[in-house]
Amino acid sequence: MEVRLDAFSSTDFNVKEWLNQQFASLDAAEAFGTGGTLQAQTQKQQNASESMTQRLTTQLHILATNAQQGSDRIKARFRHQAAQITRDIAALARLIGDTQKHMAGLTAEIEAQQPAARAVENLVHIGTARHRLQRSVAALDHLRSYTDLPQKINTLIEDGDLAQAWRLVDSIDVDADGRGERRKGSAGPECDASAIGLSEAADIEQYKERVAKAAMDRLEKAVREQNAETASELGRLLASHSHGSKVEQVLIKIRADSGMERLQPALDSLATDGDIGDILELVADLVEQDRVFIDAADEQASAAVLTEQLLTVYVEAMHPTIVAKVDGFQKKATNSGSDNENETGSDDMASAAVLDLYQALVRFYSGIAETLRAQGGLSVGASMLDAETVLLQPVPRSLQLVFEPFVQFMRSGLADCHVEAIRTGSLRRLARVADLGLSSDEIFTREAPECILEVFLDVDRAISRAFTFVPSSALPVAVSGVAGLVSDVAGIIAGRLDAIANRCGIPALAFADPAALVLPLASSSAIRQPLASEDKLMTVSAIVGVSIASRLFDQCATALLSSIARRWEELVGVLERRYLSGEGAAEDNTTTMQLGALMEACTTPAEMVAVASRLVKATEKESPGIGTISDALSMVGRRTASAVVYALAAPFSAPLVRIPQLRAWHSERESVSSMNIHVPLFSCSPSEEAVDIGEKMHILLPELEQVEAIEQQELRVAHMGGEEDELQSLFAHIITWLPSAAGLHEGLVDALAPPIQNMLSLVLAVVLRCICRQICSIEPPLSASGHEQLLADVDYIASVVASFASPSCQEFDVVRQCLLRSSDSEQEASVNEAEAEAKAGLDAESEAAVQTRKKMKALLTQQQPPS
């Protein structure tokens, strides 16, 4: 009976049908068998069937055992010797062939035998052996393909089909995982022991690493050759197998190395005679090329981060050069002020070089950010995010490396450098002109205005640079330091006035109070002489020359005040909008906000809120620098106005000084003539002092006209640089400053009257105030004749003043009113009544008028009774 083992592997194999066929074959053999007794034949057939069945079962067990052992040997030898595995497979194949032959012979013998009762049970064992044999055959097929895997993978890698190579490895990995799961799900140790499969996890990982390495090598080559299509394909392949971070590392490394190959020679040449502008253009071009390649390589998700990292690499290479240049400029600025006084302004040139470098870097960084935003919505270091997110974004590393060398210089060095440059430059030239002016007034008149204009141009440039570059928290100190230069200019002008005052005899008190005309002066003092004298004319010319510088100073300082106030207002508005209200975060450039935070030593723009809040509160009361300039303006304006007015009123000092010592205030006039004839006392003439004062008042107007002519002459001498047309006139300047300085009545100046008329009223008001002070200095009591004489002098002076001006001097009006009201017999009652009537308008009177009324009351209430 032939047993066909190849039928066992058929999908439609049926055990029952096969048994029936075997039994039918046994019946046929029995029918054609030899004769004999029936019992002997039956016994013989049963013995033969049992023997044949036992042999068949034994052979099947041997076959299964040999197959299992062969499989185990194959698995053990496969990892060490591929050739041995092949030989084992061949041996196993021969064993299978021999088994098939034995099975065929056994089948023939079984077909010749009759079926027996125990045949069914034995055939079950045959089915088990069949299944084990099928699994062994399948394992052998898998092992045969597995032995070809390295060769297939190498072939695919050499052909460049890395995707197919990876799919092959993945398929083997999945198949191994499936067999492992099936072994885990099988029940019983017999099944585990007989399971035929591979445990090749370590080998699969090696294959994966080989394919990944080949992909990385090809990716590096593609990036070097700028083959974006291939790089994109390989990047997607590596990312799909959990190698995305390696792709980014390769992109960064290769692109950075390629960029540094172009950048390093330029940096080397910059150390000698190169231009940093060329370096910045090269870096910007490299960053733009990198971004285009990254986009083409399908890395948009991480484009911002990759571009920032590449920019950081380039900036790290530039950083030492930037630091060296900034340090060099700062050292040059420091040494120029101390070691080389002849080269004034070298420190300003050095600071300007730092600022030029800073602005070039700002344009470079902002240009990169703008370009990248236009290409793909990138803001260097952060994407285009909402306002709150932008404020919370940290300052990019590239931005820190670019601008950290400037932080300390911008916070303190910039303003100090500008201040020192101006002190050693234009301010020093102004001081030299003032020193030369001691020997020649014309030198100061001619040169000082030009120097003042130069100083204020430098100051305005320094203020502009401070508001542009200095961080907000350091700006108050910087602006105040630059504003201090205005005080220095004011001090030089004031020193020039002091020198003229010492030379011509103007007392120092006159600058505080122009009515201090009663101070003791030398009779030969030039200031006491009339303007017609040569000495007085030279003195007034010198004072007018200084007044030109003072008025130019007033004009420049006022413009500077307006500029500083406007700049503070704009800065506060920007800070409030950008950081306090939150409205500007989305509008402003992210780079600008991050740079502002960096300059303030803040890690994020959100930390700028506290800085902005402090600065806004500090500027609510008074903007820094404003008070310093205002004080300098007031000091120079009042001193100059006081000097001019004192020079015009000084000739009145001689008669004024004599007023308190006149004997007429305490003596009685003789009513009997030398012939013993009674003479009636019905009239009283003004005293010589009053007449002298009146005469000097009459020549004031011609002297003022002469002063105007002197002013025009001095303006022609001065180098004004075209500013003379906008310069305030001398009299208008004095009218602006003197009334408030001298405490004169506000109604003294008529806005519709010519300046010379207001100037005349101003000088007369000063003289009248001095007259009042002298009258109040008379020792009481007054005699009746002295009272009449005083009233006559006051009336005379009032009539002279009223003839060509209408000055408003409350003190003089109070003196005249008190004298008129006390002229009757009830002097004390009249004075009290006048005082009571004036109480209603007391609030309108100045403090000086009130004090004058009290002094007049004391003088008139102690008047001697008439003889």
Side-chain angles (χ1 to χ4, degrees):
M1 179 179 61
E2 182 181 2
V3 179
R4 295 182 59 84
L5 294 179
D6 55 347
F8 290 174
S9 61
S10 176
T11 56
D12 57 349
F13 178 79
N14 192 317
V15 177
K16 292 182 180 181
E17 292 179 359
W18 186 79
L19 289 174
N20 292 332
Q21 291 176 2
Q22 300 304 318
F23 289 147
S25 299
L26 290 175
D27 293 337
E30 181 181 0
F32 291 96
T34 58
T37 63
L38 178 62
Q39 183 178 2
Q41 291 180 357
T42 302
Q43 184 65 33
K44 185 178 180 180
Q45 292 177 356
Q46 289 178 352
N47 293 337
S49 176
E50 288 177 359
S51 177
M52 184 173 53
T53 302
Q54 289 176 357
R55 288 197 305 272
L56 177 61
T57 302
T58 300
Q59 290 179 357
L60 289 175
H61 277 289
I62 292 172
L63 174 63
T65 302
N66 289 339
Q68 181 64 42
Q69 291 176 353
S71 176
D72 291 341
R73 286 196 302 273
I74 290 172
K75 288 192 294 183
R77 294 176 182 177
F78 175 77
R79 293 180 179 83
H80 305 287
Q81 295 179 346
Q84 185 64 34
I85 292 174
T86 304
R87 288 195 296 272
D88 290 341
I89 293 173
L92 183 59
R94 289 193 299 273
L95 181 59
I96 293 173
D98 294 339
T99 304
Q100 287 178 341
K101 291 179 180 179
H102 287 295
M103 290 291 292
L106 183 60
T107 302
E109 292 179 2
I110 291 174
E111 290 177 351
Q113 304 296 329
Q114 294 181 350
R118 298 177 58 183
V120 175
E121 182 180 356
N122 292 330
L123 288 176
V124 171
H125 293 289
I126 294 174
T128 302
R130 169 184 170 276
H131 287 296
R132 290 183 178 180
L133 182 61
Q134 287 178 341
R135 291 173 58 186
S136 298
V137 172
L140 289 173
D141 291 339
H142 178 73
L143 288 173
R144 189 179 291 109
S145 65
Y146 192 68
T147 56
D148 298 336
L149 181 63
Q151 183 178 0
K152 291 180 179 178
I153 292 176
N154 290 332
T155 302
L156 292 173
I157 291 175
E158 292 174 359
D159 295 341
D161 194 356
L162 298 177
Q164 180 62 30
W166 220 315
R167 282 194 294 270
L168 179 60
V169 175
D170 289 342
S171 65
I172 298 298
D173 191 15
V174 171
D175 187 35
D177 291 341
R179 289 195 305 277
E181 291 296 328
R182 288 195 297 272
R183 286 196 296 271
K184 291 180 182 178
S186 301
E190 181 181 355
C191 182
D192 292 338
S194 61
I196 299 177
L198 295 177
S199 177
E200 64 276 359
D203 296 325
I204 293 175
E205 290 300 323
Q206 292 180 0
Y207 296 146
K208 288 182 179 179
E209 291 177 1
R210 289 179 60 188
V211 178
K213 183 178 183 304
M216 295 297 293
D217 294 340
R218 290 183 180 273
L219 177 63
E220 291 181 4
K221 181 179 179 181
V223 175
R224 286 194 181 92
E225 296 176 353
Q226 298 189 14
N227 189 339
E229 183 178 356
T230 302
S232 174
E233 180 182 351
L234 292 170
R236 288 193 299 270
L237 179 63
L238 289 166
S240 64
H241 290 82
S242 304
H243 291 282
S245 59
K246 293 182 179 180
V247 174
E248 296 179 358
Q249 293 174 4
V250 169
L251 280 174
I252 292 295
K253 181 179 181 302
I254 303 302
R255 295 297 301 181
D257 292 344
S258 176
M260 288 304 301
E261 289 179 0
R262 296 176 57 190
L263 181 60
Q264 193 59 50
L267 291 174
D268 296 339
S269 65
L270 181 63
T272 56
D273 56 353
D275 183 10
I276 195 170
D278 298 335
I279 304 295
L280 299 181
E281 290 181 2
L282 176 58
V283 173
D285 183 54
L286 290 175
V287 173
E288 185 174 355
Q289 292 178 6
D290 291 339
R291 178 56 193 273
V292 172
F293 183 82
I294 290 171
D295 288 341
D298 289 339
E299 294 292 334
Q300 290 90 345
S302 57
V305 177
L306 296 178
T307 306
E308 166 64 20
Q309 291 178 356
L310 287 170
L311 177 60
T312 302
V313 171
Y314 302 144
V315 171
E316 283 178 345
M318 293 190 337
H319 184 71
T321 303
I322 297 173
V323 172
K325 281 191 170 292
V326 174
D327 291 344
F329 291 143
Q330 291 181 351
K331 290 179 181 178
K332 184 177 180 181
T334 303
N335 297 333
S336 63
S338 57
D339 301 335
N340 194 359
E341 295 184 358
N342 294 327
E343 293 186 8
T344 57
S346 297
D347 41 6
D348 184 49
M349 294 174 61
S351 65
V354 176
L355 296 183
D356 290 342
L357 177 60
Y358 176 82
Q359 288 178 312
L361 293 174
V362 170
R363 290 192 297 269
F364 154 74
Y365 203 92
S366 300
I368 288 178
E370 186 65 27
T371 301
L372 298 182
R373 277 199 304 271
Q375 290 179 355
L378 173 70
S379 175
V380 178
S383 299
M384 297 297 290
L385 305 171
D386 56 89
E388 294 182 0
T389 308
V390 168
L391 289 175
L392 296 176
Q393 288 296 308
V395 177
R397 176 63 178 163
S398 58
L399 189 73
Q400 296 178 19
L401 290 172
V402 170
F403 294 103
E404 270 181 354
F406 299 90
V407 173
Q408 186 59 34
F409 178 76
M410 296 303 182
R411 293 189 65 84
S412 59
L414 175 62
D416 295 342
C417 191
H418 276 296
V419 170
E420 185 62 25
I422 296 173
R423 289 189 189 280
T424 58
S426 55
L427 190 62
R428 178 180 292 178
R429 286 190 287 275
L430 177 60
R432 289 175 179 173
V433 168
D435 293 339
L436 292 174
L438 296 176
S439 59
S440 174
D441 296 326
E442 183 179 353
I443 293 178
F444 185 84
T445 302
R446 182 178 64 250
E447 304 294 339
E450 185 176 6
C451 293
I452 291 173
L453 286 173
E454 186 178 358
V455 171
F456 273 96
L457 285 175
D458 293 341
V459 169
D460 184 70
R461 182 168 58 251
I463 291 291
S464 176
R465 288 178 176 177
F467 275 97
T468 303
F469 301 107
V470 174
S472 301
S473 60
L475 193 56
V477 176
V479 174
S480 298
V482 177
L485 297 170
V486 179
S487 297
D488 295 340
V489 177
I492 293 174
I493 297 175
R496 179 61 186 157
L497 279 175
D498 292 339
I500 296 174
N502 293 332
R503 186 180 68 197
C504 64
I506 299 177
L509 184 60
F511 293 117
D513 184 6
L517 302 175
V518 296
L519 297 174
L521 298 174
S523 58
S524 60
S525 177
I527 202 67
R528 295 183 58 180
Q529 299 175 15
L531 193 56
S533 66
E534 183 176 356
D535 291 343
K536 179 64 174 287
L537 188 62
M538 292 180 61
T539 299
V540 172
S541 297
I543 295 175
V544 171
V546 176
S547 76
I548 294 175
S550 174
R551 283 176 280 159
L552 184 61
F553 172 83
D554 187 300
Q555 177 178 317
C556 295
T558 301
L560 183 63
L561 271 179
S562 301
S563 175
I564 293 177
R566 175 180 53 80
R567 293 178 186 275
W568 275 119
E569 183 179 358
E570 292 175 354
L571 176 63
V572 169
V574 170
L575 293 177
E576 287 180 340
R577 186 188 74 252
R578 182 179 296 168
Y579 299 109
L580 301 182
S581 65
E583 297 176 359
E587 300 175 3
D588 292 325
N589 191 336
T590 305
T591 302
T592 302
M593 301 179 67
Q594 292 173 337
L595 181 56
L598 175 64
M599 289 299 176
E600 296 291 353
C602 299
T603 57
T604 62
E607 296 179 12
M608 282 289 294
V609 174
V611 177
S613 179
R614 286 195 300 269
L615 184 62
V616 170
K617 290 181 180 179
T619 56
E620 286 179 353
K621 296 180 180 179
E622 183 180 72
S623 300
I626 298 294
T628 302
I629 299 176
S630 299
D631 293 342
L633 264 174
S634 178
M635 187 269 289
V636 172
R638 293 181 178 185
R639 287 176 72 88
T640 305
S642 299
V644 175
V645 172
Y646 189 89
L648 292 172
F652 291 88
S653 61
L656 287 174
V657 169
R658 298 194 300 268
I659 288 178
Q661 289 79 32
L662 292 179
R663 296 177 57 190
W665 312 133
H666 307 98
S667 62
E668 294 288 348
R669 285 188 299 167
E670 295 292 338
S671 60
V672 179
S673 66
S674 57
M675 299 179 63
N676 201 20
I677 300 174
H678 181 75
V679 179
L681 300 176
F682 57 85
S683 64
C684 184
S685 300
S687 63
E688 294 180 3
E689 287 71 16
V691 173
D692 191 7
I693 290 173
E695 291 176 351
K696 294 181 183 300
M697 287 181 175
H698 279 290
I699 64 172
L700 267 179
L701 186 58
E703 286 186 344
L704 291 174
E705 294 174 348
Q706 190 174 358
V707 170
E708 282 187 328
I710 294 173
E711 179 189 10
Q712 296 301 319
Q713 181 180 356
E714 296 296 324
L715 285 174
R716 287 192 292 270
V717 173
H719 293 169
M720 298 291 293
E723 297 291 332
E724 58 272 9
D725 296 335
E726 300 180 5
L727 194 67
Q728 191 180 29
S729 67
L730 173 62
F731 294 158
H733 179 70
I734 294 173
I735 293 167
T736 300
W737 287 107
L738 192 61
S740 59
L744 300 176
H745 194 266
E746 295 179 356
L748 178 65
V749 177
D750 184 3
L752 300 178
I756 191 172
Q757 187 66 35
N758 286 326
M759 185 66 186
L760 177 62
S761 299
L762 183 61
V763 177
L764 290 177
V766 171
V767 174
L768 292 177
R769 170 175 284 188
C770 193
I771 292 173
C772 295
R773 292 180 182 179
Q774 295 300 88
I775 291 175
C776 292
S777 300
I778 298 174
E779 291 291 335
L782 291 176
S783 65
S785 298
H787 180 275
E788 292 179 1
Q789 183 62 53
L790 184 56
L791 181 58
D793 289 350
V794 169
D795 284 340
Y796 170 74
I797 292 173
S799 64
V800 173
V801 172
S803 63
F804 49 79
S806 56
S808 176
C809 181
Q810 289 185 339
E811 297 96 310
F812 188 77
D813 294 339
V814 168
V815 169
R816 189 161 181 259
Q817 184 184 56
C818 291
L819 289 172
L820 289 173
R821 291 183 178 276
S822 63
S823 60
D824 55 16
S825 58
E826 300 177 356
Q827 296 172 355
E828 184 176 355
S830 300
V831 171
N832 292 334
E833 181 182 358
E835 184 177 1
E837 292 177 355
K839 285 182 179 180
L842 188 62
D843 294 337
E845 289 185 348
S846 64
E847 182 64 24
V850 174
Q851 295 299 325
T852 300
R853 186 178 298 279
K854 292 179 180 180
K855 292 178 181 179
M856 288 301 298
K857 176 183 177 182
L859 176 63
L860 298 177
T861 53
Q862 300 181 36
Q863 181 176 329
Q864 296 178 357
S867 58

